[in-house]
Amino acid sequence: MAPNSGFAILLRSPWWVSFVIAGAIVLACGALLPADVAPFAAIGALPIVVVGCIAAWRQWLAPGSARVQSALDAAAAMPWRDFADLLEHAWSAEGHAVERLSGTQADLRITRGEQTLLVAARRYKAASHGVEPLRALQAEVQQRGARTGVYVVLQGQVSEQARGFARDQGLALLEGEALAALLLKAPARRT
């Protein structure tokens, strides 16, 4: 699905928006079309209702803002080794094969089927994230023949130049709610 298609936008919107649009379509069909045709035309709102149900389900399952912030705060308090373990367990829980890399610009190799991603997460506590670590990750991606790279941002700000470079090179920035959602997938550790 295209990221800016009507359905994709509705999936990112609050669930009730889809139901309001579907209701407006049904009302318009009832008001503007002959009575014998209106019910059949109103069925055209059914895909929007389905999208609304999917959006409601996703939003119901999404972690709340307090839980997201708690996960990010807990990760920020971790030393590198524990944070890397958490990332490894989270991606493993999604069904990916995870391999630690040493002596490279990438920290993890994530594989699922034929697709390989390289993850740079060592600078997760940096105050600012510029282009240089992204360039190094992109060079590593090309050298190892990976599909793309993922740069993890837990703290600090990513410069606009770095965001542009990531977008142009097809690198993903994993930060904020998306990072918290991944971290929350890691199985709870037993103490």
Side-chain angles (χ1 to χ4, degrees):
M1 178 182 321
N4 291 325
S5 71
F7 289 134
I9 291 170
L10 286 175
L11 282 172
R12 291 190 305 264
S13 301
W15 62 268
W16 54 266
V17 171
S18 297
F19 293 109
V20 168
I21 292 172
I25 290 171
V26 170
L27 288 175
C29 288
L32 300 174
L33 297 174
D36 58 329
V37 177
F40 298 106
I43 291 175
L46 188 59
I48 296 172
V49 170
V50 170
V51 168
C53 291
I54 293 169
W57 181 253
R58 285 183 179 177
Q59 291 166 22
W60 176 266
L61 294 178
S65 60
R67 191 163 176 225
V68 165
Q69 192 58 48
S70 174
L72 294 175
D73 291 343
M78 292 179 179
W80 161 244
R81 176 166 274 136
D82 293 344
F83 183 67
D85 288 342
L86 185 62
L87 286 174
E88 186 175 343
H89 293 316
W91 268 306
S92 294
E94 285 190 332
H96 300 281
V98 182
E99 176 188 351
R100 293 263 181 111
L101 302 174
S102 61
T104 67
Q105 297 301 319
D107 303 306
L108 302 169
R109 177 185 296 136
I110 311 295
T111 307
R112 188 170 194 173
E114 297 295 318
Q115 295 187 357
T116 299
L117 308 174
L118 296 181
V119 178
R122 197 168 298 136
R123 292 180 41 104
Y124 70 112
K125 288 187 180 182
S128 65
H129 302 269
V131 175
E132 287 311 311
L134 292 170
R135 280 195 179 119
L137 176 61
Q138 179 62 22
E140 190 78 23
V141 165
Q142 290 174 343
Q143 179 184 355
R144 292 184 178 261
R147 187 177 69 110
T148 191
V150 177
Y151 185 77
V152 177
V153 179
L154 178 62
Q155 294 178 330
Q157 300 295 319
V158 178
S159 71
E160 286 304 315
Q161 185 180 9
R163 285 189 189 281
F165 180 83
R167 184 177 44 254
D168 294 344
Q169 298 300 317
L171 298 173
L173 297 174
L174 183 59
E175 57 188 336
E177 289 185 21
L179 176 58
L182 174 68
L183 297 176
L184 289 169
K185 291 179 183 178
R189 289 187 261 172
R190 295 185 181 157
T191 56

